Amino acid sequence: MDRVPILKIGGVLLVSIQTDLQDQTVLALQEDLSERIVATGAHGVIIDITAVDIVDSFIGRMFATIASMSRLMDAETVVVGMRPAVAITLVELGLSLGGVRTALDLEEGMRLLGAGLPQAGPAGSARPARPGPAVADGP
């Protein structure tokens, strides 16, 4: 059975699903994620489903269950990268994913959780994002 990787970015856990989900994989993810939230004290969870083509009712319910579980441990969940076909399927199945916020991409998901992605500096080093609008240097 494959395990879904869980990465820590600041106070956020990133779950990037890169394979078709099987029931056992999702159950393992639920357990792994709850353990990581407790171990890291994460305040947010992002589930990236960009690579997911198909969901069924079980997988949809598990996303809602993961969000509820995370909320009980004081972490908000955002699902990012949902394809139109997946959204249509979830609606047709009558699954509202209550308590799960959504965003089009990872950057927007991080913003919803109040965590910005670090930007690369001149030598490729990470530096914090500057607040405010971008200003051009010179004419």
Side-chain angles (χ1 to χ4, degrees):
M1 171 181 59
D2 291 333
R3 295 295 245 218
V4 176
I6 302 171
L7 307 172
K8 184 175 183 299
I9 302 172
V12 175
L13 296 178
L14 173 61
V15 178
S16 183
I17 300 171
Q18 299 296 318
T19 61
D20 287 332
L21 294 171
Q22 304 300 320
D23 293 355
Q24 293 295 27
T25 305
V26 176
L27 290 171
L29 171 60
Q30 185 177 335
E31 186 175 322
D32 293 347
L33 185 57
S34 63
E35 289 173 4
R36 288 291 302 271
I37 291 170
V38 170
T40 64
H43 68 82
V45 173
I46 293 181
I47 302 174
D48 183 355
I49 62 171
T50 305
V52 175
D53 292 322
I54 300 169
V55 294
D56 60 17
S57 60
F58 179 76
I59 303 298
R61 283 192 314 273
M62 284 293 91
F63 286 153
T65 299
I66 287 170
S68 295
M69 172 202 66
S70 298
R71 204 170 31 256
L72 287 172
M73 291 185 278
D74 201 25
E76 184 178 354
T77 301
V78 178
V79 173
V80 302
M82 187 177 302
R83 294 175 182 231
V86 171
I88 290 167
T89 301
L90 290 173
V91 170
E92 288 175 348
L93 292 171
L95 299 172
S96 64
L97 298 184
V100 179
R101 296 177 73 183
T102 59
L104 292 177
D105 58 29
L106 177 60
E107 186 175 3
E108 181 61 25
M110 293 290 282
R111 203 173 2 263
L112 283 174
L113 293 173
L117 289 174
Q119 296 179 355
S125 62
R127 63 180 168 84
R130 287 184 283 171
V135 178
D137 293 332

